[in-house]
PDB file of all heavy atoms in Angstrom:
ATOM      1  N   GLU A 546      11.326  13.366  14.917  1.00  0.00           N
ATOM      2  CA  GLU A 546      11.704  12.452  13.695  1.00  0.00           C
ATOM      3  C   GLU A 546      10.663  12.534  12.548  1.00  0.00           C
ATOM      4  O   GLU A 546      11.078  12.261  11.361  1.00  0.00           O
ATOM      5  CB  GLU A 546      11.759  11.012  14.145  1.00  0.00           C
ATOM      6  CG  GLU A 546      12.902  10.775  15.099  1.00  0.00           C
ATOM      7  CD  GLU A 546      12.910   9.296  15.762  1.00  0.00           C
ATOM      8  OE1 GLU A 546      12.130   8.472  15.315  1.00  0.00           O
ATOM      9  OE2 GLU A 546      13.721   9.131  16.704  1.00  0.00           O
ATOM     10  N   VAL A 547       9.343  12.783  12.881  1.00  0.00           N
ATOM     11  CA  VAL A 547       8.339  12.538  11.894  1.00  0.00           C
ATOM     12  C   VAL A 547       8.398  13.432  10.657  1.00  0.00           C
ATOM     13  O   VAL A 547       7.881  13.046   9.600  1.00  0.00           O
ATOM     14  CB  VAL A 547       6.951  12.548  12.621  1.00  0.00           C
ATOM     15  CG1 VAL A 547       6.568  13.962  12.935  1.00  0.00           C
ATOM     16  CG2 VAL A 547       5.982  11.794  11.731  1.00  0.00           C
ATOM     17  N   LEU A 548       8.993  14.657  10.772  1.00  0.00           N
ATOM     18  CA  LEU A 548       9.034  15.532   9.668  1.00  0.00           C
ATOM     19  C   LEU A 548      10.385  15.332   8.819  1.00  0.00           C
ATOM     20  O   LEU A 548      10.588  16.130   7.941  1.00  0.00           O
ATOM     21  CB  LEU A 548       8.932  16.995  10.076  1.00  0.00           C
ATOM     22  CG  LEU A 548       7.499  17.375  10.468  1.00  0.00           C
ATOM     23  CD1 LEU A 548       7.453  18.664  11.239  1.00  0.00           C
ATOM     24  CD2 LEU A 548       6.536  17.452   9.243  1.00  0.00           C
ATOM     25  N   ASP A 549      10.969  14.152   9.042  1.00  0.00           N
ATOM     26  CA  ASP A 549      12.137  13.834   8.176  1.00  0.00           C
ATOM     27  C   ASP A 549      11.778  13.525   6.744  1.00  0.00           C
ATOM     28  O   ASP A 549      10.810  12.716   6.530  1.00  0.00           O
ATOM     29  CB  ASP A 549      12.853  12.630   8.829  1.00  0.00           C
ATOM     30  CG  ASP A 549      14.128  12.249   7.995  1.00  0.00           C
ATOM     31  OD1 ASP A 549      15.049  13.025   7.813  1.00  0.00           O
ATOM     32  OD2 ASP A 549      14.100  11.187   7.548  1.00  0.00           O
ATOM     33  N   GLU A 550      12.328  14.235   5.793  1.00  0.00           N
ATOM     34  CA  GLU A 550      11.922  14.050   4.360  1.00  0.00           C
ATOM     35  C   GLU A 550      12.103  12.634   3.874  1.00  0.00           C
ATOM     36  O   GLU A 550      11.209  12.125   3.167  1.00  0.00           O
ATOM     37  CB  GLU A 550      12.738  14.901   3.546  1.00  0.00           C
ATOM     38  CG  GLU A 550      11.917  16.170   3.035  1.00  0.00           C
ATOM     39  CD  GLU A 550      12.590  16.977   1.929  1.00  0.00           C
ATOM     40  OE1 GLU A 550      12.846  16.397   0.818  1.00  0.00           O
ATOM     41  OE2 GLU A 550      12.870  18.123   2.185  1.00  0.00           O
ATOM     42  N   ASP A 551      13.187  12.000   4.367  1.00  0.00           N
ATOM     43  CA  ASP A 551      13.355  10.631   3.828  1.00  0.00           C
ATOM     44  C   ASP A 551      12.391   9.685   4.394  1.00  0.00           C
ATOM     45  O   ASP A 551      11.927   8.663   3.697  1.00  0.00           O
ATOM     46  CB  ASP A 551      14.713  10.137   4.227  1.00  0.00           C
ATOM     47  CG  ASP A 551      15.947  10.985   3.577  1.00  0.00           C
ATOM     48  OD1 ASP A 551      15.620  11.485   2.498  1.00  0.00           O
ATOM     49  OD2 ASP A 551      17.087  11.051   4.243  1.00  0.00           O
ATOM     50  N   TYR A 552      11.911   9.870   5.636  1.00  0.00           N
ATOM     51  CA  TYR A 552      10.890   9.055   6.165  1.00  0.00           C
ATOM     52  C   TYR A 552       9.584   9.190   5.438  1.00  0.00           C
ATOM     53  O   TYR A 552       8.935   8.308   5.028  1.00  0.00           O
ATOM     54  CB  TYR A 552      10.685   9.369   7.734  1.00  0.00           C
ATOM     55  CG  TYR A 552       9.407   8.919   8.178  1.00  0.00           C
ATOM     56  CD1 TYR A 552       9.050   7.559   8.397  1.00  0.00           C
ATOM     57  CD2 TYR A 552       8.335   9.862   8.470  1.00  0.00           C
ATOM     58  CE1 TYR A 552       7.782   7.286   8.778  1.00  0.00           C
ATOM     59  CE2 TYR A 552       7.067   9.529   8.871  1.00  0.00           C
ATOM     60  CZ  TYR A 552       6.734   8.196   9.022  1.00  0.00           C
ATOM     61  OH  TYR A 552       5.576   7.713   9.497  1.00  0.00           O
ATOM     62  N   LEU A 553       9.173  10.475   5.179  1.00  0.00           N
ATOM     63  CA  LEU A 553       7.857  10.736   4.539  1.00  0.00           C
ATOM     64  C   LEU A 553       7.976  10.335   3.091  1.00  0.00           C
ATOM     65  O   LEU A 553       6.895   9.872   2.576  1.00  0.00           O
ATOM     66  CB  LEU A 553       7.502  12.233   4.732  1.00  0.00           C
ATOM     67  CG  LEU A 553       7.053  12.483   6.102  1.00  0.00           C
ATOM     68  CD1 LEU A 553       7.053  14.072   6.413  1.00  0.00           C
ATOM     69  CD2 LEU A 553       5.635  11.943   6.377  1.00  0.00           C
ATOM     70  N   GLN A 554       9.111  10.501   2.513  1.00  0.00           N
ATOM     71  CA  GLN A 554       9.284   9.962   1.068  1.00  0.00           C
ATOM     72  C   GLN A 554       9.094   8.396   1.035  1.00  0.00           C
ATOM     73  O   GLN A 554       8.332   7.948   0.137  1.00  0.00           O
ATOM     74  CB  GLN A 554      10.742  10.272   0.614  1.00  0.00           C
ATOM     75  CG  GLN A 554      11.010   9.721  -0.824  1.00  0.00           C
ATOM     76  CD  GLN A 554      10.296  10.617  -1.971  1.00  0.00           C
ATOM     77  OE1 GLN A 554      10.542  11.727  -2.060  1.00  0.00           O
ATOM     78  NE2 GLN A 554       9.383   9.920  -2.612  1.00  0.00           N
ATOM     79  N   TYR A 555       9.562   7.754   2.022  1.00  0.00           N
ATOM     80  CA  TYR A 555       9.477   6.324   2.057  1.00  0.00           C
ATOM     81  C   TYR A 555       8.011   5.886   2.313  1.00  0.00           C
ATOM     82  O   TYR A 555       7.476   5.109   1.725  1.00  0.00           O
ATOM     83  CB  TYR A 555      10.428   5.718   3.114  1.00  0.00           C
ATOM     84  CG  TYR A 555       9.652   4.703   4.037  1.00  0.00           C
ATOM     85  CD1 TYR A 555       9.527   3.354   3.651  1.00  0.00           C
ATOM     86  CD2 TYR A 555       9.364   5.094   5.319  1.00  0.00           C
ATOM     87  CE1 TYR A 555       8.900   2.468   4.502  1.00  0.00           C
ATOM     88  CE2 TYR A 555       8.673   4.172   6.184  1.00  0.00           C
ATOM     89  CZ  TYR A 555       8.478   2.795   5.800  1.00  0.00           C
ATOM     90  OH  TYR A 555       7.819   2.031   6.635  1.00  0.00           O
ATOM     91  N   ARG A 556       7.392   6.685   3.135  1.00  0.00           N
ATOM     92  CA  ARG A 556       5.904   6.561   3.509  1.00  0.00           C
ATOM     93  C   ARG A 556       5.092   6.642   2.219  1.00  0.00           C
ATOM     94  O   ARG A 556       4.253   5.834   1.971  1.00  0.00           O
ATOM     95  CB  ARG A 556       5.475   7.382   4.639  1.00  0.00           C
ATOM     96  CG  ARG A 556       4.171   6.981   5.152  1.00  0.00           C
ATOM     97  CD  ARG A 556       4.005   7.191   6.654  1.00  0.00           C
ATOM     98  NE  ARG A 556       2.710   7.009   7.077  1.00  0.00           N
ATOM     99  CZ  ARG A 556       2.204   5.798   7.383  1.00  0.00           C
ATOM    100  NH1 ARG A 556       2.921   4.706   7.246  1.00  0.00           N
ATOM    101  NH2 ARG A 556       0.956   5.644   7.886  1.00  0.00           N
ATOM    102  N   GLU A 557       5.349   7.686   1.541  1.00  0.00           N
ATOM    103  CA  GLU A 557       4.587   7.951   0.240  1.00  0.00           C
ATOM    104  C   GLU A 557       4.860   6.782  -0.736  1.00  0.00           C
ATOM    105  O   GLU A 557       3.993   6.184  -1.264  1.00  0.00           O
ATOM    106  CB  GLU A 557       4.993   9.275  -0.462  1.00  0.00           C
ATOM    107  CG  GLU A 557       4.240   9.481  -1.758  1.00  0.00           C
ATOM    108  CD  GLU A 557       4.729  10.565  -2.559  1.00  0.00           C
ATOM    109  OE1 GLU A 557       5.177  11.611  -2.084  1.00  0.00           O
ATOM    110  OE2 GLU A 557       4.488  10.564  -3.844  1.00  0.00           O
TER     111      GLU A 557
END
Side-chain angles (χ1 to χ4, degrees):
E546 293 174 9
V547 74
L548 285 164
D549 178 60
E550 255 193 60
D551 296 335
Y552 159 71
L553 286 161
Q554 176 73 66
Y555 135 77
R556 191 142 173 83
E557 179 189 332

